[in-house]
Amino acid sequence: RQAKVDGIEVPDVEVDDPTGEAELLVLGWGSTYGPITAAVRRLRNAGETVAQAHLRHLNPLPRNLGEVLARYDKVVVPEMNLGQLATLLRAKYLVDAQSYNQVNGMPFKAEQLATALKEALDG
C-alpha cells in the first residue's frame, strides 16, 4: 500500500516569496489559506519580508518540500488543530517548524495571525 501512495504524482509546492530574501516561511494547509494570505499581506505592507506556501496534498507530501523548508531560517505552521502537520514536518525534515494552533471552532483572524508572525520574525 505504501508503494502505491509513494507512486502518486504530486505537484511541487509553490512558494510566494517576492523578494527571495525572506527569513520566515508561513506554511499552511486547508482552511488556513485566507487568514495566512491576509496576515502575510499585512506584514509585507508594513515592510517585512515573509514567504508563504500552501500545501494541497499531505500524503504524499510534495517532493520539493524538504528543499523549500531548508531555504528558510524560520518556519511557522498555523493550524486549526493541535499541530499535527508541524509535528510531521519536524520528524520528517528535521526543521524547527513552529506551530501556531487554535482549536476553538473559529477561523484565525488576520490581525491575530499577523501579530503571531511578527513575534516569530522578531524572536
Side-chain angles (χ1 to χ4, degrees):
R1 289 184 188 178
Q2 187 61 48
K4 188 174 182 177
V5 170
D6 291 341
I8 297 172
E9 289 295 322
V10 172
D12 285 348
V13 65
E14 296 179 17
V15 180
D16 176 15
D17 186 357
T19 65
E21 299 176 3
E23 290 182 17
L24 173 67
L25 171 67
V26 184
L27 181 65
W29 71 280
S31 65
T32 61
Y33 179 79
I36 289 174
T37 301
V40 167
R41 186 177 330 121
R42 285 175 186 235
L43 290 172
R44 287 178 180 167
N45 288 341
E48 302 289 348
T49 55
V50 180
Q52 173 185 356
H54 199 76
L55 295 175
R56 298 179 136 258
H57 301 88
L58 296 177
N59 189 25
L61 289 165
R63 296 188 196 279
N64 71 331
L65 184 57
E67 169 190 315
V68 166
L69 295 171
R71 287 192 304 223
Y72 297 92
D73 295 334
K74 298 176 183 178
V75 177
V76 174
V77 184
E79 295 185 74
M80 300 296 299
N81 58 35
L82 297 176
Q84 288 90 330
L85 178 60
T87 300
L88 177 67
L89 297 175
R90 282 188 216 106
K92 185 167 181 158
Y93 299 106
L94 302 177
V95 296
D96 184 21
Q98 299 175 11
S99 188
Y100 183 72
N101 308 338
Q102 178 172 299
V103 187
N104 63 7
M106 300 296 293
F108 285 116
K109 293 184 179 177
E111 183 176 342
Q112 160 197 17
L113 192 50
T115 300
L117 297 175
K118 177 70 171 137
E119 289 173 7
L121 271 171
D122 295 340

